[in-house]
């Protein structure tokens, strides 16, 4: 009976892996969209991991600061982990700011070299909307002079020139945003 249960469970898993990198400003909605998308994908039998940028900083990139070099190192570590998961049949959802185009391009190149699918989603929420959402209070701290180096305010954010998908989360629900990403993955045979 155990073998039958294992066989049934294996049949329910879809093993097409890919990295879905959601980039955008702090409080753009990246993580919220990623978790909504993860639920949809799991319902369809996909193996899914959300590589949350805050958790990665705590457990894998502890000790890194927010200099350009440290941000690049952080993105490369996350990119390596995502590519490893993607190569092994997992849909890795990566809601990480990744403010520099060259860092994101290096991650894309790593995926291309290994043959792992990579999809870049720009959650293009304007800074004024993000500052109102201010999920972690970063914009308020920056305005009060308690924080410097806030991406998109006093530190650069290089918007993707040609992402696979651009979402303006201020004009749609989280469910609609997740559905747009899901539709793109389906179109590409990844979901």
């Amino acid at each position: 009976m155990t073998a039958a249960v294992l066989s049934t469970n294996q049949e329910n898993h879809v093993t097409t892996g890919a990295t879905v990198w959601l980039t955008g400003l702090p409080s753009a909605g990246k993580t919220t969209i990623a978790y909504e998308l993860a639920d949809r994908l799991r319902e369809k039998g996909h193996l899914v991991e959300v590589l949350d940028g805050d958790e990665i900083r705590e457990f894998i990139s502890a000790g890194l600061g927010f200099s350009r070099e440290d941000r690049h190192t952080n993105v490369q570590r996350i990119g390596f982990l995502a590519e490893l998961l993607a190569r092994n049949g997992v849909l890795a959802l990566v809601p990480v700011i990744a403010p520099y185009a060259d860092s994101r391009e290096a991650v894309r190149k790593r995926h291309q070299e290994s043959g792992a699918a990579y999809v870049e989603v720009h959650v293009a929420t304007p800074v004024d909307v993000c500052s109102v959402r201010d999920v972690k209070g970063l914009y308020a701290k920056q305005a009060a002079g308690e924080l410097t180096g806030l991406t998109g305010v006093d530190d650069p954010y290089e918007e993707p020139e040609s992402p696979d998908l651009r979402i303006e989360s201020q004009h749609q629900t989280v469910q609609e945003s997740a559905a747009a990403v899901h539709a793109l993955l389906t179109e590409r045979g990844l979901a």
Side-chain angles (χ1 to χ4, degrees), residues 70-97:
D70 282 357
R71 288 177 193 246
H72 179 77
T73 298
N74 185 50
V75 168
Q76 296 317 297
R77 288 177 183 178
I78 298 167
F80 171 78
L81 183 56
E83 186 266 333
L84 181 66
L85 290 167
R87 274 193 290 125
N88 286 283
V90 177
L91 286 170
L93 309 182
V94 186
V96 174
I97 296 168

Side-chain angles (χ1 to χ4, degrees), residues 21-31 33 96-97 104 120-131 133 139 157-163 165-172 177 181:
W21 198 290
L22 296 100
T23 179
L25 297 173
S27 296
K30 302 176 299 298
T31 302
I33 294 167
V96 174
I97 296 168
R104 294 189 307 266
E120 183 178 70
V121 178
H122 180 204
V123 183
T125 311
V127 70
D128 58 324
V129 173
C130 294
S131 67
R133 291 179 181 172
Y139 293 93
Y157 176 73
E158 299 170 358
E159 290 190 6
E161 290 182 17
S162 54
L165 178 66
R166 188 177 316 276
I167 293 175
E168 295 185 9
S169 70
Q170 74 276 17
H171 297 306
Q172 60 191 111
S177 295
V181 181

